[in-house]
Amino acid sequence: MPVCRDIATLRDTLRGGEGAIGLVPTMGNLHEGHLALVRACRQACDVTVVSIFVNPTQFGPSEDFGNYPRTLDDDLRYLREARVDHVFAPAVDDMYPQGRDGQVTVSLPALANTLCGASRPGHFDGVATVVAKLFNIVAPDKSFFGEKDWQQLTLIRAMARQLDMRVEVVGVPTVRESSGLALSSRNIYLSDDERRRAATLNRVLTWIKTAVEEGCRDYSSAEERGSRDLAEAGFDVDYVAVRDAERLCPPDAETASLRILAAARLGRARLIDNVGATI
Ligand code: PAF
């Protein structure tokens, strides 16, 4: 499994190859959620490329860029076992030779400033910029993203569509522990007690989903009760929101299906999760 550490080498390695190329962008510290993306990619494509890059431009100044778990040796072992064809693990200087301030960036529409974007200014522009660069470097036919980051998936789909990128963006369902807790690299920040309480996040979302599917249309009250339940379980709540699944706006007459999303801090970990609901 070739591991390419710079853009030129990856391009040379992929040049002239045949068949559909699939890309799984990651920031490493791989878990079963990432491996589900790899499996989906291998099933749909002839060549699977996994990128491992902790992208500085999507972290705010007070966020965990410095401490973000970097576990390249373990990651490479998992990817070899998962029979990945190529790994792309570039250095920051290779991806951003102009530095952060000199970098041309993708600027997303207002949707990027709501939900997670409201408390993480610039985060989604940083994500979109690195993903656009990865799309240009790898030129994949398909690229795979977890549904756990639903707002990210929605924005990357919008970017690919509106900037006429020829890649198909594929969403892969969230992988969960048996408690319902969505797998995430940031779960390592949870103590044992917090890990037990963290399962409340998915329980609250599932409760709202059931209420909505049983006819509740008072979304604000459902959001408020969800926030209260999370606060009682010790979370510092960022948001609990019932949204149109595609446009992520509050539900309106055109809404065909809903997504119920939440973000909340538990100790050092900022956890996010979402579930779909039919109406
Ligand atoms: O979801 C992630 O891990 C990151 O945001 C991504 C898509 C790899 C971009 O850095």
Side-chain angles (χ1 to χ4, degrees):
M1 185 186 69
V3 180
C4 299
R5 305 304 298 249
D6 63 88
I7 296 171
T9 309
L10 182 77
R11 285 200 163 127
D12 279 354
T13 310
L14 294 178
R15 181 170 302 135
E18 284 183 12
I21 297 180
L23 169 66
V24 179
T26 81
M27 298 207 299
N29 192 236
L30 304 180
H31 50 62
E32 265 306 313
H34 298 107
L35 297 180
L37 303 181
V38 169
R39 278 193 291 275
C41 185
R42 287 193 71 241
Q43 235 161 50
C45 301
D46 302 299
V47 177
T48 294
V49 181
V50 174
S51 64
I52 298 180
F53 180 62
V54 184
N55 172 39
T57 67
Q58 68 188 76
F59 288 80
S62 59
E63 293 184 355
D64 56 350
F65 175 68
N67 299 329
Y68 194 86
R70 289 161 172 86
T71 52
L72 188 62
D73 290 345
D74 287 345
D75 294 346
L76 294 180
R77 193 158 40 77
Y78 293 143
L79 295 177
R80 224 170 267 123
E81 282 164 16
R83 305 168 73 101
V84 162
D85 299 294
H86 302 279
V87 174
F88 178 48
V92 172
D93 286 351
D94 197 39
M95 290 294 275
Y96 296 114
Q98 265 72 37
R100 197 169 175 155
D101 293 340
Q103 176 64 41
V104 172
T105 59
V106 175
S107 172
L108 293 167
L111 172 58
N113 303 324
T114 66
L115 302 170
C116 284
S119 57
R120 304 188 70 189
H123 166 69
F124 287 116
D125 284 0
V127 170
T129 300
V130 79
V131 170
K133 285 171 73 71
L134 291 167
F135 286 173
N136 286 331
I137 294 163
V138 177
D141 296 276
K142 295 176 195 264
S143 188
F144 297 78
F145 296 84
E147 288 185 351
K148 181 176 78 69
D149 298 283
W150 187 264
Q151 188 178 10
Q152 168 174 283
L153 175 61
T154 305
L155 287 163
I156 290 171
R157 276 206 175 109
M159 173 184 76
R161 202 171 40 238
Q162 293 179 28
L163 293 183
D164 308 299
M165 296 170 165
R166 54 173 283 284
V167 57
E168 181 189 338
V169 175
V170 182
V172 176
T174 304
V175 180
R176 300 179 182 283
E177 293 185 356
S178 55
S179 68
L181 176 65
L183 298 195
S184 161
S185 300
R186 289 192 168 99
N187 290 353
I188 60 154
Y189 298 143
L190 297 168
S191 66
D192 289 347
D193 173 52
E194 285 166 349
R195 209 180 185 92
R196 270 190 295 281
R197 280 183 291 141
T200 309
L201 186 58
N202 187 247
R203 266 204 297 280
V204 162
L205 294 177
T206 306
W207 169 78
I208 297 177
K209 169 188 166 75
T210 307
V212 164
E213 290 185 340
E214 286 175 353
C216 166
R217 293 294 173 268
D218 185 354
Y219 302 131
S220 309
S221 299
E223 289 166 355
E224 272 163 34
R225 180 168 160 199
S227 295
R228 226 174 24 245
D229 289 353
L230 286 174
E232 275 166 20
F235 285 83
D236 180 5
V237 182
D238 189 349
Y239 64 82
V240 175
V242 180
R243 293 293 168 100
D244 180 291
E246 303 301 320
R247 294 172 292 146
L248 288 186
C249 56
D252 58 24
E254 284 162 36
T255 297
S257 62
L258 295 174
R259 208 78 197 177
I260 303 149
L261 310 100
R265 240 170 221 294
L266 192 58
R268 280 178 61 216
R270 183 176 186 278
L271 303 178
I272 61 172
D273 198 359
N274 66 84
V275 298
T278 45
I279 47 172

